[in-house]
Amino acid sequence: GNSVTQMEGPVTLSEEAFLTINCTYTATGYPSLFWYVQYPGEGLQLLLKATKADDKGSNKGFEATYRKETTSFHLEKGSVQVSDSAVYFCALYSGAGSYQLTFGKGTKLSVIP
Amino acid sequence: EAGVAQSPRYKIIEKRQSVAFWCNPISGHATLYWYQQILGQGPKLLIQFQNNGVVDDSQLPKDRFSAERLKGVDSTLKIQPAKLEDSAVYLCASSFTGTSNTEAFFGQGTRLTVV
């Protein structure tokens, strides 16, 4: 079946540090890949997505590239801010018919001034 | 555009009691999902509807959980009887279609505590 593995948290960084959150996946066919973010007290919201190999999704300074050869979709940001503190979920959308959205366990990021 | 609405936001019940959650998806969205998010874990799909038909309920504990989506709009998720391990946040999401290229929009969730 489909699965998503992302790096364990929590991750604590100083403001302006470089961020990488690793994500690898197992899926049949050609999944679409997503990063969702959950800010404190809020619901899940889409951060970025990529629908085919070598696509790069980007939003709010975050980027992730769909790497089919390594089945990875790592999230990066060059300079994090305190406002980026949240839980980040890697997810994939696959499965003929039901297109089930499968999530990783989430990585909590805390950015300190 | 109004988002996905869920109620209640919080619920505390005793084990063996029953509970129901309500979800109103974004207008025009044919696909509706219910997810269970246990503390420290990612959301797990319980059931997926396309209009008012069930597309996937393979991970729904059918001995105690039930869900319906009447008229292809609002949906309710029920647990009867509840167990301690059902304590979680229950998320409703909707999308325009159920295909891989459409974004799923999430509600704020209902936090259930079973004591």
Side-chain angles (χ1 to χ4, degrees), chain B residues 16-86:
Chain B
R16 292 187 289 276
Q17 285 187 323
S18 62
V19 64
F21 313 126
W22 174 81
C23 172
N24 179 233
I26 293 173
S27 177
H29 281 192
T31 304
L32 185 146
Y33 311 82
W34 282 103
Y35 283 84
Q36 179 193 57
Q37 186 178 13
I38 293 173
L39 186 65
Q41 298 183 20
K44 182 185 85 171
L45 180 69
L46 292 176
I47 189 167
Q48 178 179 344
F49 292 94
Q50 185 75 14
N51 296 308
N52 61 349
V54 175
V55 174
D56 187 342
D57 63 357
S58 57
Q59 298 190 87
L60 186 75
K62 297 181 186 64
D63 57 333
R64 297 184 301 106
F65 285 65
S66 64
E68 60 182 6
R69 190 182 184 197
L70 299 176
K71 300 181 181 179
V73 183
D74 293 5
S75 177
T76 56
L77 176 70
K78 297 179 181 178
I79 308 175
Q80 182 179 10
K83 294 184 175 181
L84 296 177
E85 59 260 36
D86 298 332

Side-chain angles (χ1 to χ4, degrees), chain A residues 30-32 34 36 38 41-46 49 51 89 93-94 97-106, chain B residues 9 33 35 37 40-43 45 48 55-56 58-59 91 95 97-104 106-108:
Chain A
Y30 302 95
S32 294
F34 303 80
Y36 277 82
Q38 190 169 35
E42 299 184 17
L44 280 164
Q45 53 187 277
L46 180 66
K49 70 178 183 182
T51 57
F89 293 91
Y93 217 175
S94 183
S98 69
Y99 286 102
Q100 187 178 120
L101 189 58
T102 302
F103 287 86
K105 291 187 175 182
Chain B
R9 286 293 311 277
Y33 311 82
Y35 283 84
Q37 186 178 13
Q41 298 183 20
L45 180 69
Q48 178 179 344
V55 174
D56 187 342
S58 57
Q59 298 190 87
L91 298 167
S95 65
T97 71
T99 64
S100 61
N101 200 27
T102 55
E103 178 181 351
F106 284 79
Q108 289 194 297

